[in-house]
Amino acid sequence: KRRIKKRCIRKERNKVLGTLTGQFLKIGIIGAMDEEITAIKLVMNIRSEKTIAGNIFYSGKLFGKDCVLVKSGVGKVFGALTSQILISEFRAEKIIFTGLAGSIKKELKIGDIVVGERCVQYDLDASELGFKIGQIPYTDYRFFYGDKKMIDIALKTKIDDTKIKKGVILTGDMFQSKKGKGKHKNIFEELNGDCLEMEGAAVAQVCTLNKVPFCIIRIISDNADDGALSDFEKFKNIVANKSSKMIEA
Ligand code: ADE
């Protein structure tokens, strides 16, 4: 009996130690599209699934870690919604987002990966009230910074000869092609953006407000120009492999 008791105490102690050292961390993973979460689902050992607000959350083990995986859907509202559910319902202690982005820097080519050093909502404009572009009115929030440790790990990942670079991610509820890119040129320059997408800063804001470390990873699918739509559609189908490799790291 005493031996069993001792074993139980040891098990409990190891569990506490594991939690403290991050061994039992629960990681929330958000993929923007079906293509990405399908690739991750294939390598994930799914133990349960739960639908909340129409989104399916898959819980289980991924590369030996406790994970909850969800497809967010497109746009800032879905990004924020799924992040908050991961944190409040599933107690995610870290969040990784993977998806596609349009490049607005010449040196960033289709297939390259941007790891978000910071994200900002480029379509948030309360300048008439005296706030900066991207600044959340009546707060000091504007740029949301990814977790340094997670960023470093992401930057060290090797995926064949893929270029992986730290950058500024601009988020807005718009798919940008040439027309929109021209219209928002000054904003992109002011914010010193590297790429455009539609969820990152929303996920980042929710994580920041909840003090949950996060990392936004974006694979360049197009150049937000005339060819954006067809490049995006083409690239969507070959992205899965890269995002699952980044998550593994
Ligand atoms: N995601 C991928 N490409 C994009 C673009 N051109 N605009 C907004 N979001 C994107």
Side-chain angles (χ1 to χ4, degrees), residues 74 99-103 122 170 172-178 181 195-199 218-225 228-229 232:
V74 176
L100 300 178
S103 169
Y122 72 83
L170 306 187
D173 279 320
M174 262 169 278
F175 184 86
Q176 291 277 6
S177 57
K178 192 174 179 185
K181 196 170 154 188
C195 63
L196 301 169
E197 42 85 301
M198 302 173 76
E199 299 84 20
R218 291 287 180 176
I219 307 173
I220 301 298
S221 58
D222 61 88
N223 294 310
D225 55 10
L229 191 60
F232 177 81

Side-chain angles (χ1 to χ4, degrees), residues 70-236:
V70 62
K71 182 191 90 168
S72 63
V74 176
K76 292 193 291 186
V77 174
F78 269 140
L81 174 78
T82 44
S83 305
Q84 189 62 53
I85 293 173
L86 280 174
I87 296 167
S88 304
E89 274 282 320
F90 295 94
R91 304 278 156 215
E93 291 151 282
K94 280 185 184 185
I95 288 188
I96 304 172
F97 187 103
T98 120
L100 300 178
S103 169
I104 44 170
K105 284 269 165 78
K106 271 199 188 77
E107 57 275 24
L108 272 176
K109 310 277 187 229
I110 293 177
D112 291 349
I113 292 178
V114 178
V115 180
E117 188 232 345
R118 56 191 157 131
C119 310
V120 56
Q121 297 178 61
Y122 72 83
D123 62 347
L124 176 48
D125 181 356
S127 52
E128 296 238 4
L129 298 174
F131 298 102
K132 291 183 179 137
I133 294 289
Q135 184 182 2
I136 294 157
Y138 309 108
T139 76
D140 291 330
Y141 290 124
R142 189 179 186 212
F143 289 102
F144 295 97
Y145 289 81
D147 180 67
K148 284 203 174 70
K149 276 195 209 144
M150 294 170 82
I151 293 172
D152 280 346
I153 294 170
L155 291 173
K156 281 186 196 134
T157 313
K158 294 260 176 291
I159 309 175
D160 308 323
D161 54 356
T162 301
K163 194 163 100 187
I164 303 176
K165 189 187 163 291
K166 196 158 70 171
V168 179
I169 296 176
L170 306 187
T171 306
D173 279 320
M174 262 169 278
F175 184 86
Q176 291 277 6
S177 57
K178 192 174 179 185
K179 226 166 81 190
K181 196 170 154 188
K183 213 165 70 185
H184 296 93
K185 193 169 172 274
N186 292 342
I187 294 177
F188 299 161
E189 277 169 10
E190 181 185 332
L191 298 170
N192 193 23
D194 290 296
C195 63
L196 301 169
E197 42 85 301
M198 302 173 76
E199 299 84 20
V203 173
Q205 183 177 340
V206 169
C207 289
T208 303
L209 294 176
N210 287 278
K211 299 190 174 56
V212 170
F214 66 91
C215 185
I216 312 286
I217 297 163
R218 291 287 180 176
I219 307 173
I220 301 298
S221 58
D222 61 88
N223 294 310
D225 55 10
D226 276 343
L229 191 60
S230 72
D231 286 343
F232 177 81
E233 289 296 338
K234 247 186 273 164
F235 197 75
K236 203 159 73 141

